[in-house]
């Protein structure tokens, strides 16, 4: 169909196009959102820091053995509420057990879609396992929405990139 000389030049032509900037349509940058101020009650915000019109709140918490593994000792059992969230595809926030200095002892993500209730007030409960439960002074929520994290440039140079939620809080982080 095509002479061998023409086909041999195709890879070279693609390299020239890529180096000439034709691939700049696929320029990809990743950024990470700044972590919002943690609190017992927070306005959930998108990766730009704009409120989503949803509040998340730690209603109460206590130390007690988990009923399925009581031999493992006390865990942090907390109840939370999302107001204004969509039951199906609503936001998610990090819940963190902290000590008196607001240093993280353990965290996990809680999803509004796992909560239930009438009229947009979705409630749920969860458990946090921490190494030293006796040090827990409270449970705080980090307001950044964790429910949607787009693909990174490394994963997909064409469709990836953009602003991503902040990295999850780790042990010893100050909230």
């Amino acid at each position: 169909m095509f002479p061998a000389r023409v086909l041999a030049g195709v890879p070279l032509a693609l390299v020239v196009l890529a180096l000439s900037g034709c691939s700049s349509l696929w320029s990809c940058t990743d950024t990470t959102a700044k972590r919002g101020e943690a609190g017992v009650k927070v306005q959930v915000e998108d990766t730009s820091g704009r409120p989503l019109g949803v509040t998340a709140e730690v209603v109460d918490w206590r130390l007690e053995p988990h009923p399925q593994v009581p031999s493992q000792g006390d865990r942090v059992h907390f109840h939370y509420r999302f107001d204004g969230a969509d039951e199906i595809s609503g936001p998610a926030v990090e819940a963190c057990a902290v000590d008196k200095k607001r240093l993280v002892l353990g965290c996990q993500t809680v999803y509004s879609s796992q909560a239930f209730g009438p009229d947009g007030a979705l409630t749920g409960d969860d458990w946090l396992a921490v190494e030293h439960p006796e040090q827990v002074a409270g449970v705080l929520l980090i307001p950044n929405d964790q429910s949607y994290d787009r693909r990174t440039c490394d994963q997909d140079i064409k469709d990836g990139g953009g602003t991503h939620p902040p990295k999850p809080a780790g042990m010893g982080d100050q909230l």
Side-chain angles (χ1 to χ4, degrees):
M1 197 164 238
F2 291 107
R5 268 192 328 193
V6 172
L7 291 176
V10 169
L12 180 60
L14 292 174
V15 169
V16 170
L17 285 172
L19 292 175
S20 69
C22 289
S23 66
S24 66
L25 296 174
W26 290 349
S27 66
C28 190
T29 57
D30 285 314
T31 57
T32 303
K34 182 181 175 191
R35 184 181 295 155
E37 180 69 29
V40 173
K41 185 174 184 176
V42 296
Q43 289 286 327
V44 182
E45 56 190 47
D46 66 13
T47 54
S48 303
R50 290 187 300 255
L52 295 176
V54 175
T55 59
E57 178 180 11
V58 175
V59 179
D60 68 8
W61 69 273
R62 64 187 165 278
L63 294 175
E64 61 186 6
H66 191 287
Q68 293 176 338
V69 285
S71 63
Q72 294 181 357
D74 282 344
R75 293 188 178 187
V76 181
H77 184 200
F78 66 100
H79 290 82
Y80 58 90
R81 178 174 59 228
F82 284 90
D83 286 312
D86 180 346
E87 292 178 10
I88 297 168
S89 61
V93 295
E94 269 191 281
C96 299
V98 296
D99 67 11
K100 290 178 184 176
K101 296 179 183 177
R102 293 175 61 121
L103 297 177
V104 171
L105 301 171
C107 295
Q108 71 182 42
T109 304
V110 291
Y111 295 83
S112 62
S113 60
Q114 293 174 330
F116 57 91
D119 304 324
L122 306 174
T123 60
D125 72 306
D126 218 325
W127 298 81
L128 284 164
V130 297
E131 192 172 336
H132 298 285
E134 71 280 359
Q135 294 178 354
V136 176
V139 177
L140 301 177
L141 301 175
I142 299 174
N144 305 87
D145 182 11
Q146 298 288 323
S147 66
Y148 175 73
D149 193 7
R150 59 188 327 128
R151 298 180 65 75
T152 65
C153 293
D154 287 343
Q155 293 168 327
D156 187 346
I157 193 138
K158 181 176 161 253
D159 297 321
T163 306
H164 303 275
K167 285 194 256 181
M171 290 279 282
D173 284 0
Q174 177 81 48
L175 295 185

PDB file of all heavy atoms in Angstrom, residues 64-75:
ATOM      1  N   GLU A  64     -15.041   3.269  73.610  1.00  0.00           N
ATOM      2  CA  GLU A  64     -15.670   2.016  74.013  1.00  0.00           C
ATOM      3  C   GLU A  64     -15.149   0.907  73.107  1.00  0.00           C
ATOM      4  O   GLU A  64     -14.690   1.164  71.998  1.00  0.00           O
ATOM      5  CB  GLU A  64     -17.194   2.110  73.942  1.00  0.00           C
ATOM      6  CG  GLU A  64     -17.748   2.401  72.573  1.00  0.00           C
ATOM      7  CD  GLU A  64     -19.272   2.633  72.586  1.00  0.00           C
ATOM      8  OE1 GLU A  64     -19.870   2.680  73.664  1.00  0.00           O
ATOM      9  OE2 GLU A  64     -19.828   2.765  71.505  1.00  0.00           O
ATOM     10  N   PRO A  65     -15.245  -0.330  73.562  1.00  0.00           N
ATOM     11  CA  PRO A  65     -14.831  -1.442  72.705  1.00  0.00           C
ATOM     12  C   PRO A  65     -15.780  -1.589  71.516  1.00  0.00           C
ATOM     13  O   PRO A  65     -16.993  -1.398  71.665  1.00  0.00           O
ATOM     14  CB  PRO A  65     -14.937  -2.668  73.621  1.00  0.00           C
ATOM     15  CG  PRO A  65     -14.977  -2.128  75.007  1.00  0.00           C
ATOM     16  CD  PRO A  65     -15.598  -0.766  74.907  1.00  0.00           C
ATOM     17  N   HIS A  66     -15.239  -1.918  70.382  1.00  0.00           N
ATOM     18  CA  HIS A  66     -16.069  -2.196  69.210  1.00  0.00           C
ATOM     19  C   HIS A  66     -16.788  -3.517  69.462  1.00  0.00           C
ATOM     20  O   HIS A  66     -16.156  -4.495  69.882  1.00  0.00           O
ATOM     21  CB  HIS A  66     -15.198  -2.285  67.956  1.00  0.00           C
ATOM     22  CG  HIS A  66     -15.984  -2.299  66.687  1.00  0.00           C
ATOM     23  ND1 HIS A  66     -16.724  -3.392  66.275  1.00  0.00           N
ATOM     24  CD2 HIS A  66     -16.159  -1.360  65.733  1.00  0.00           C
ATOM     25  CE1 HIS A  66     -17.308  -3.134  65.131  1.00  0.00           C
ATOM     26  NE2 HIS A  66     -16.980  -1.897  64.775  1.00  0.00           N
ATOM     27  N   PRO A  67     -18.099  -3.579  69.222  1.00  0.00           N
ATOM     28  CA  PRO A  67     -18.839  -4.804  69.545  1.00  0.00           C
ATOM     29  C   PRO A  67     -18.369  -6.051  68.794  1.00  0.00           C
ATOM     30  O   PRO A  67     -18.543  -7.161  69.281  1.00  0.00           O
ATOM     31  CB  PRO A  67     -20.290  -4.466  69.188  1.00  0.00           C
ATOM     32  CG  PRO A  67     -20.262  -3.200  68.445  1.00  0.00           C
ATOM     33  CD  PRO A  67     -18.954  -2.531  68.680  1.00  0.00           C
ATOM     34  N   GLN A  68     -17.744  -5.882  67.637  1.00  0.00           N
ATOM     35  CA  GLN A  68     -17.295  -7.044  66.871  1.00  0.00           C
ATOM     36  C   GLN A  68     -15.910  -7.529  67.294  1.00  0.00           C
ATOM     37  O   GLN A  68     -15.541  -8.661  67.016  1.00  0.00           O
ATOM     38  CB  GLN A  68     -17.318  -6.747  65.377  1.00  0.00           C
ATOM     39  CG  GLN A  68     -18.723  -6.548  64.857  1.00  0.00           C
ATOM     40  CD  GLN A  68     -18.748  -6.147  63.398  1.00  0.00           C
ATOM     41  OE1 GLN A  68     -17.779  -5.626  62.858  1.00  0.00           O
ATOM     42  NE2 GLN A  68     -19.878  -6.394  62.751  1.00  0.00           N
ATOM     43  N   VAL A  69     -15.136  -6.656  67.928  1.00  0.00           N
ATOM     44  CA  VAL A  69     -13.788  -7.029  68.372  1.00  0.00           C
ATOM     45  C   VAL A  69     -13.506  -6.434  69.763  1.00  0.00           C
ATOM     46  O   VAL A  69     -12.570  -5.668  69.935  1.00  0.00           O
ATOM     47  CB  VAL A  69     -12.710  -6.594  67.354  1.00  0.00           C
ATOM     48  CG1 VAL A  69     -12.692  -7.484  66.136  1.00  0.00           C
ATOM     49  CG2 VAL A  69     -12.888  -5.145  66.940  1.00  0.00           C
ATOM     50  N   PRO A  70     -14.297  -6.776  70.751  1.00  0.00           N
ATOM     51  CA  PRO A  70     -14.135  -6.174  72.074  1.00  0.00           C
ATOM     52  C   PRO A  70     -12.774  -6.463  72.708  1.00  0.00           C
ATOM     53  O   PRO A  70     -12.288  -5.675  73.513  1.00  0.00           O
ATOM     54  CB  PRO A  70     -15.280  -6.781  72.893  1.00  0.00           C
ATOM     55  CG  PRO A  70     -15.688  -8.005  72.156  1.00  0.00           C
ATOM     56  CD  PRO A  70     -15.369  -7.764  70.719  1.00  0.00           C
ATOM     57  N   SER A  71     -12.152  -7.558  72.325  1.00  0.00           N
ATOM     58  CA  SER A  71     -10.856  -7.908  72.909  1.00  0.00           C
ATOM     59  C   SER A  71      -9.745  -6.940  72.506  1.00  0.00           C
ATOM     60  O   SER A  71      -8.679  -6.923  73.120  1.00  0.00           O
ATOM     61  CB  SER A  71     -10.468  -9.328  72.507  1.00  0.00           C
ATOM     62  OG  SER A  71     -10.306  -9.401  71.101  1.00  0.00           O
ATOM     63  N   GLN A  72      -9.981  -6.122  71.490  1.00  0.00           N
ATOM     64  CA  GLN A  72      -8.965  -5.169  71.041  1.00  0.00           C
ATOM     65  C   GLN A  72      -8.995  -3.868  71.828  1.00  0.00           C
ATOM     66  O   GLN A  72      -8.245  -2.952  71.528  1.00  0.00           O
ATOM     67  CB  GLN A  72      -9.112  -4.892  69.547  1.00  0.00           C
ATOM     68  CG  GLN A  72      -8.804  -6.111  68.705  1.00  0.00           C
ATOM     69  CD  GLN A  72      -8.917  -5.842  67.215  1.00  0.00           C
ATOM     70  OE1 GLN A  72      -9.288  -4.756  66.775  1.00  0.00           O
ATOM     71  NE2 GLN A  72      -8.610  -6.847  66.428  1.00  0.00           N
ATOM     72  N   GLY A  73      -9.849  -3.763  72.825  1.00  0.00           N
ATOM     73  CA  GLY A  73      -9.880  -2.591  73.688  1.00  0.00           C
ATOM     74  C   GLY A  73     -10.690  -1.451  73.109  1.00  0.00           C
ATOM     75  O   GLY A  73     -11.432  -1.604  72.138  1.00  0.00           O
ATOM     76  N   ASP A  74     -10.527  -0.295  73.754  1.00  0.00           N
ATOM     77  CA  ASP A  74     -11.312   0.878  73.374  1.00  0.00           C
ATOM     78  C   ASP A  74     -10.940   1.422  72.002  1.00  0.00           C
ATOM     79  O   ASP A  74      -9.773   1.439  71.618  1.00  0.00           O
ATOM     80  CB  ASP A  74     -11.135   1.998  74.397  1.00  0.00           C
ATOM     81  CG  ASP A  74     -11.955   1.762  75.649  1.00  0.00           C
ATOM     82  OD1 ASP A  74     -12.870   0.922  75.618  1.00  0.00           O
ATOM     83  OD2 ASP A  74     -11.678   2.432  76.651  1.00  0.00           O
ATOM     84  N   ARG A  75     -11.967   1.878  71.316  1.00  0.00           N
ATOM     85  CA  ARG A  75     -11.848   2.611  70.053  1.00  0.00           C
ATOM     86  C   ARG A  75     -12.685   3.876  70.191  1.00  0.00           C
ATOM     87  O   ARG A  75     -13.478   4.008  71.109  1.00  0.00           O
ATOM     88  CB  ARG A  75     -12.354   1.780  68.878  1.00  0.00           C
ATOM     89  CG  ARG A  75     -11.491   0.575  68.605  1.00  0.00           C
ATOM     90  CD  ARG A  75     -11.903  -0.095  67.338  1.00  0.00           C
ATOM     91  NE  ARG A  75     -11.020  -1.229  67.084  1.00  0.00           N
ATOM     92  CZ  ARG A  75     -11.046  -1.937  65.989  1.00  0.00           C
ATOM     93  NH1 ARG A  75     -11.921  -1.646  65.036  1.00  0.00           N
ATOM     94  NH2 ARG A  75     -10.227  -2.937  65.809  1.00  0.00           N
TER      95      ARG A  75
END
